[in-house]
Amino acid sequence: MGSCVKRERMLDPVAPLSAPAGLTLCAAQSGMGGAGQGDWWVQRGCSNLRRARSRGRRVDLPPGVVPEVLCEGAMWRSCLPFFLMALAFFLAGFLLLLRWSRGTGTIASIAVAFGGEERVPACMTLAFSFWRGCRGRAEPPHSHGPDSSFQCYLALAKGGLSPDHVLVLPIGHCQSMVELASEVLEELEQYKSSLKKFFRSKGKRYVAFERNYRSQHLQLQVVPVPQDCCTTEDIKEAFLVQAEEQQLELLEIPEHSALKQIVQAGTPYFYVELDTGEKLFHRIRKHFPLQFGREVLASEAVLGMPGRADWRSCQVGREEEAAAAQAFRQAFAPFDIAQED
């Protein structure tokens, strides 16, 4: 049987102490000893013991009991809440940092290191741009300076379906077209109109799509399709057929309807716009194939190059990227809205 001896008397600054005030010592009696022998441990009161010793008082403990060992378990128990609190603050701060970086793209390299290359913009080769300081992005090599009034820029897609596969992007951070300010959206529409004219002059059709899902920054991808490959109706049919095969509800929306009228900001979606003005829309509810837009356009029904559906398999060297950017810049110059001033 075991017994507990509880000492509750006040500390006397002169008299020796057999145990600190408020200290409960438990003795497990053995068959060979009495109540004062056996294995001892502290239930509470180690702080009183340390306080008494710091004031120079003599404390008499039972034989064989070492104060440091006696207080070890209680000390760990007293530190555990503070350790858990510090860990909780650390995790909360780390999650907030990840959420902030997801919006700004400042630690996109971390996402890539953990296999999240689809969560960051598809590392573009800039064709030309008018840059004022988009956080988390490299400064474009050609700029009109900090006083430029331009809100958007063009970039050649890395691993593009064709050498003139371009992206239209806002300079300021924005998640999707739904969240664009009116003046930024107006400029983006001007770029779209210029690209339509440019591709038409080259005998190509204009197809634009946006995937607002697992992306950090608005990327309107514009892919030219040679007119001798297929008609606009064929492109539309290819999107609808592949959407049905993958059980995606791809709906046609009125030509003159604004995207903001269809979906609210923050809602994941996939959007397609054809050169005739026809628009297709899918509200993403659960999962969505990240390469869906490229898969449709690379299919046999459209461009006939299914092997280029994944941009990672289409990457080229830096010199070739720079040459393609320079060639596109020169070809597009007559249609560039920045050259109209």
Side-chain angles (χ1 to χ4, degrees):
M1 300 291 293
S3 63
C4 290
V5 180
K6 184 175 181 180
R7 315 212 180 239
E8 297 288 357
R9 64 187 180 85
M10 297 294 292
L11 289 175
D12 190 327
V14 177
L17 300 176
S18 59
L23 182 65
T24 302
L25 300 177
C26 294
Q29 298 182 12
S30 63
M32 298 298 293
Q37 299 176 356
D39 299 324
W40 294 78
W41 66 93
V42 174
Q43 287 184 337
R44 74 174 189 274
C46 284
S47 59
N48 290 340
L49 174 60
R50 289 192 295 270
R51 190 180 305 114
R53 296 179 63 191
S54 66
R55 294 177 181 175
R57 300 171 183 170
R58 182 166 56 87
V59 179
D60 295 330
L61 294 174
V65 176
V66 181
E68 286 76 9
V69 176
L70 182 134
C71 290
E72 182 179 0
M75 188 164 57
W76 273 108
R77 287 194 296 273
S78 63
C79 293
L80 184 60
F82 296 99
F83 173 76
L84 294 177
M85 186 179 299
L87 181 61
F89 276 111
F90 172 78
L91 292 177
F94 182 69
L95 292 175
L96 287 175
L97 175 64
L98 285 181
R99 183 175 180 84
W100 172 77
S101 65
R102 181 181 179 184
T104 61
T106 53
I107 57 172
S109 58
I110 295 179
V112 174
F114 283 89
E117 60 273 5
E118 289 295 343
R119 294 180 177 271
V120 297
C123 303
M124 316 127 195
T125 302
L126 297 178
F128 59 94
S129 54
F130 310 100
W131 183 84
R132 293 193 304 175
C134 178
R135 293 178 296 176
R137 293 182 177 274
E139 180 175 357
H142 299 277
S143 173
H144 282 250
D147 296 330
S148 171
S149 60
F150 291 96
Q151 307 288 335
C152 300
Y153 66 92
L154 297 186
L156 286 185
K158 189 175 183 69
L161 284 168
S162 61
D164 44 7
H165 176 176
V166 300
L167 310 177
V168 186
L169 309 102
I171 292 175
H173 173 68
C174 191
Q175 182 74 23
S176 66
M177 286 203 298
V178 178
E179 301 176 11
L180 287 177
S182 57
E183 63 274 11
V184 183
L185 182 60
E186 181 180 356
E187 185 174 311
L188 185 139
E189 292 293 336
Q190 292 176 358
Y191 268 116
K192 287 163 57 178
S193 178
S194 295
L195 287 169
K196 286 181 183 179
K197 295 176 182 177
F198 171 65
F199 290 136
R200 190 178 298 119
S201 70
K202 301 294 183 179
K204 299 178 180 180
R205 306 185 190 280
Y206 161 102
V207 181
F209 66 88
E210 179 198 5
R211 187 198 74 223
N212 181 30
Y213 173 71
R214 292 184 63 183
S215 59
Q216 310 309 307
H217 192 86
L218 165 59
Q219 300 177 47
L220 181 65
Q221 303 206 33
V222 181
V223 181
V225 178
Q227 295 178 357
D228 55 1
C229 283
C230 57
T231 65
T232 303
E233 188 63 29
D234 293 332
I235 300 173
K236 177 182 175 182
E237 184 67 18
F239 272 103
L240 294 174
V241 168
Q242 290 209 29
E244 185 177 359
E245 290 177 353
Q246 302 193 40
Q247 298 181 346
L248 303 174
E249 188 180 19
L250 193 59
L251 304 175
E252 186 171 359
I253 60 178
E255 180 178 340
H256 299 289
S257 296
L259 197 54
K260 292 182 178 181
Q261 299 174 336
I262 306 298
V263 63
Q264 296 181 347
T267 303
Y269 65 84
F270 178 78
Y271 170 78
V272 183
E273 185 176 320
L274 305 175
D275 58 353
T276 57
E278 297 174 276
K279 303 174 183 178
L280 303 174
F281 174 84
H282 169 68
R283 187 189 303 271
I284 301 175
R285 303 187 184 278
K286 269 194 174 183
H287 304 293
F288 185 80
L290 299 180
Q291 305 289 349
F292 179 73
R294 289 183 61 116
E295 288 173 356
V296 174
L297 295 176
S299 65
E300 295 292 347
V302 185
L303 289 174
M305 49 179 69
R308 299 184 66 85
D310 191 335
W311 68 272
R312 285 176 288 250
S313 62
C314 306
Q315 298 183 73
V316 296
R318 287 184 176 271
E319 293 183 0
E320 190 172 344
E321 287 178 344
Q326 181 66 24
F328 181 84
R329 186 183 300 114
Q330 294 176 354
F332 186 73
F335 303 87
D336 181 7
I337 63 174
Q339 306 297 329
E340 296 176 0
D341 296 338

